[in-house]
Structure formats: structure tokens, C-alpha cells
Amino acid sequence: MSKRVFFGCATKGAWILMVAMMLQSCGFVKDKFGGKNSKGGKGGKKGAKQEVGVRNGEIIATGRKDYKQDTPFGMVLIPSGSFMMGQADEDVAATQVNFNRRVTITSFYMDDTEVTNNEYRQFVASLMTDSLSVLGEEEIISKYHPDTTVWKKDFTYHNGDPMLEYYYSHPAFDTYPVVGVSWKAARYFSEWRSNLYNDYRAKEGKYRSPKFRLPTEAEWEWAARGGRASAKYPWGNPYVANGKGCFLANFKPQRGNYDADGYPYTAPANAYNANDYGLYNMAGNVAEWTLDAYADNATIVNWDMNPMNDNPDEPRKIVRGGSWKDVAYFLETGTRGWEYEDNKRSFIGFRCVVENLAGRAATSRGRRR
């Protein structure tokens, strides 16, 4: 055999060995539980259906391969990752309550828009139909029906009558974000949505889905950045308008001028461009409830893996993203704010998330070749 042939064979062998080592280091390892290269367990044949239970006095239960988590309608998958949570720009006033630190977030699904008036009306209608005898009409109206009077109560000397009368009920605002909803009502909506979805899945013989819920503050910020490290806004840095002078969100761009961005009040939930994760209006339009209770030192005391400040005794809950009535500072991805959990505002809405169970088991980073 010539040296050239021998050298070619050796090189080919080295490449095969290198690829094998890389696959092992990234999780492509044979295992008895039906992994990437598994043959379905001891004694199994390639392509054979996995066995579950006990046979010949031995436990042979392997992973159930027929499970696949479905993407709920209107949601997008947010990947797992690590980022510097906190201020994305110099902010002397907030320095002591918004320290920067690195955290890790596991994958989840998130509504691509804020929950709209028409979507929320399905919830209220269901309560009036199915829960009237349990909750009573007075409780449904006072706790879960949007408070339309916020359009007058939130602002002194303001003609909010047209918004009060038409915003929630008129078809002209069907696809606009629901407002006048408390933190508690947003959580109850999430529970109702979970039951509705899983009741259907049970009838279809499908596995239960993880529940809908509000995002944590850290999840919200990770999603808002859209994969852009240290981004000041969901679209990046550092301006609130593009090269043509068009504003990139719905907020208060000029003193006394709410209309310069195209909408004097709220905008449709899918207005403006989505960020790189496919999420609309993560800055402006309406601020959004998160799951966390507010604490000045939350960024210090919370764990760095999926952090959340779960304090039921603290009535102040975190809101993020800024709204149609706010200046640009509140649109920044790192800006924190809060509101009392029972309060309802004309500038606060919400969106839901769902755990990605597969994302907690293995990420694309752990599976790369």
C-alpha cells in the first residue's frame, strides 16, 4: 500500500474518531431509554416500538415516544439562553433597584401579541355562562370584567367618554389589547385558558399541556430583547425611530404629542414590526403584568436560574414594557415598574406563556453536532 493511500486511510480514520467524540460530548450517546442513537432498549430492534412496563420479572419501561408538545395557537417558541438582566443603558435613578447580573432562562412559548379585547371577551362570556351560579354576576363584573371607567379615572380633565363607551365592546377595537384588567384577573384568565385547552386535549386523547400563566419578569425581559445582547429596546439600539423618522413603537414620542407614532391611544396588538423572536409590542402600546412581586433588591436575592420573586404577601406586582402614554424611558427592556395587584389601568394589559418541557430536558445547544 502506498504512503498516499495509507495516509488517506489514516486521515479518514482520524476524522471518524473526531466526529464520534464530538457526538458523544454533545449528548449523542446510545442509551437504553430510546435516545438519539438508541435501538429502543435491551434486546430491541431498530425501529421497533418501545415497550413500557415489566417483562420476565424485569423493569423494561422506556421513554414514551408518542409525546410531542404542540405549539398553542398564537404563540411562538422562545429559546433557552443566558443574558445580562437589568439596565441596558446608564440609569442613575434606577441603579440601586436594577442591578445587572447574568441569569439563565429555559425555553417557553409566549403569546406573539398582547391578549386582545375579542380574546378576553370569550373568557368573560364563558364565566357568565358556566360560572354564574358559582361566582355570581356581581363578582364576575367587579373582578374579571374589564373596568371601562379607567379611561376617565386614570386622567384628570380628560374626555375619555368615547373610549369608555366603545373600547372594550365595539368591533373597531376587537384586535386591540384589553386593558382595565387587574393582575388577579389576568391570572384567572390564564387558569381558564389552561382548563379550556386541556379539556379539549383530554377529549382528543392527547397528553395534558403545561398550563398558561403570566411570564416572570426575567422571562419577559429575555423575550423582549429578542436574542439581542444588552439591547436597549426590543429592536436594538439606540433610537426610537428608523432612518425615515418613523417611530418604532406606540408611546408618547413628543411633549403633548401622542399621535406622532400613528396612534393617539393604543394600537392593534400586532402593529409595528415584531422583534427577532416574532413578538409584537414588547415595548409600548400597553405595559404588561408579570408574575413577580416587586422588591427593591429582587435582582440580588433571586436565584440566577429562572429567577422569580414569588411573594404572595406583596401586593405590588411588576409591570414591564411601557405604554401608549409613557415616554421612551419606560420602553427600555431593562426598565422596571410596578402596580398594585388589584388595580386596573387604561395602560396595562398582559400576555401569557407556556412552559416548553422539551426545552427543559434538552436544548439545541446541548444537541449541536
Side-chain angles (χ1 to χ4, degrees):
M1 181 182 292
S2 68
K3 290 184 178 180
R4 173 178 290 185
V5 174
F6 179 80
F7 180 76
C9 293
T11 303
K12 183 177 181 181
W15 273 109
I16 293 174
L17 179 62
M18 185 182 299
V19 170
M21 293 177 65
M22 289 176 65
L23 292 180
Q24 279 195 330
S25 67
C26 293
F28 291 127
V29 184
K30 287 186 178 181
D31 63 74
K32 70 176 184 178
F33 299 115
K36 180 72 177 180
N37 294 324
S38 172
K39 294 183 179 180
K42 292 181 178 179
K45 295 182 179 180
K46 189 174 182 180
K49 186 177 180 180
Q50 289 181 307
E51 300 175 84
V52 178
V54 176
R55 185 180 66 187
N56 298 333
E58 292 186 291
I59 300 173
I60 60 168
T62 57
R64 288 170 285 181
K65 281 187 174 180
D66 57 337
Y67 175 75
K68 179 180 181 296
Q69 186 163 345
D70 298 323
T71 302
F73 177 77
M75 287 191 155
V76 295
L77 180 62
I78 309 300
S80 63
S82 177
F83 76 110
M84 289 298 295
M85 184 177 177
Q87 298 165 226
D89 201 354
E90 186 176 19
D91 186 354
V92 177
T95 297
Q96 302 304 312
V97 298
N98 198 14
F99 292 101
N100 294 84
R101 68 178 185 133
R102 181 166 289 280
V103 300
T104 298
I105 306 296
T106 51
S107 176
F108 57 95
Y109 296 90
M110 190 178 218
D111 283 330
D112 59 359
T113 71
E114 299 127 345
V115 173
T116 65
N117 284 318
N118 206 14
E119 290 171 331
Y120 196 84
R121 279 201 298 268
Q122 314 310 309
F123 163 61
V124 175
S126 177
L127 293 185
M128 295 297 288
T129 301
D130 303 328
S131 304
L132 189 61
S133 60
V134 178
L135 299 175
E137 183 176 358
E138 183 178 349
E139 181 174 348
I140 293 174
I141 296 299
S142 62
K143 291 185 177 180
Y144 307 120
H145 191 283
D147 182 5
T148 59
T149 65
V150 293
W151 291 105
K152 288 186 68 72
K153 293 190 299 185
D154 284 347
F155 311 104
T156 305
Y157 302 114
H158 161 252
N159 180 21
D161 287 346
M163 299 296 285
L164 183 156
E165 183 175 358
Y166 298 113
Y167 185 76
Y168 176 64
S169 59
H170 199 278
F173 296 102
D174 276 353
T175 60
Y176 284 61
V178 67
V179 298
V181 174
S182 69
W183 179 84
K184 290 182 177 179
R187 292 198 67 183
Y188 199 71
F189 171 91
S190 302
E191 292 179 22
W192 169 83
R193 188 177 178 184
S194 299
N195 293 334
L196 183 70
Y197 188 46
N198 278 315
D199 285 349
Y200 165 77
R201 293 182 64 84
K203 292 176 182 177
E204 295 294 315
K206 298 181 178 181
Y207 290 111
R208 288 183 61 82
S209 167
K211 294 181 179 180
F212 293 87
R213 60 171 174 82
L214 294 177
T216 65
E217 180 182 13
E219 285 173 337
W220 191 98
E221 185 173 327
W222 167 245
R225 293 181 187 273
R228 296 173 180 261
S230 302
K232 184 175 181 179
Y233 300 108
W235 50 83
N237 295 317
Y239 307 112
V240 293
N242 61 21
K244 297 180 179 180
C246 300
F247 290 105
L248 299 172
N250 181 21
F251 66 114
K252 183 182 178 181
Q254 298 168 3
R255 189 169 187 173
N257 188 347
Y258 298 83
D259 193 56
D261 53 49
Y263 298 92
Y265 290 100
T266 57
N270 62 349
Y272 303 95
N273 292 328
N275 73 359
D276 290 346
Y277 285 160
L279 302 170
Y280 294 87
N281 289 306
M282 293 299 284
N285 211 22
V286 293
E288 299 176 14
W289 290 113
T290 70
L291 208 53
D292 292 53
Y294 178 79
D296 290 344
N297 64 341
T299 55
I300 300 176
V301 300
N302 285 348
W303 199 31
D304 52 6
M305 172 60 137
N306 288 324
M308 185 184 78
N309 183 26
D310 183 17
N311 182 3
D313 297 324
E314 173 55 72
R316 297 175 298 173
K317 305 302 181 184
I318 295 291
V319 292
R320 287 298 204 107
S323 75
W324 61 270
K325 68 145 188 85
D326 292 316
V327 296
Y329 166 76
F330 294 99
L331 273 61
E332 296 181 19
T333 54
T335 300
R336 306 176 74 220
W338 59 268
E339 183 56 81
Y340 287 105
E341 60 186 21
D342 289 321
N343 282 358
K344 302 177 179 182
R345 298 294 189 183
S346 61
F347 45 85
I348 299 179
F350 69 98
R351 71 179 81 207
C352 298
V353 300
V354 168
E355 303 280 1
N356 176 22
L357 299 185
R360 285 176 175 260
T363 69
S364 60
R365 293 170 179 80
R367 287 286 190 180
R368 65 172 177 262
R369 296 180 182 273

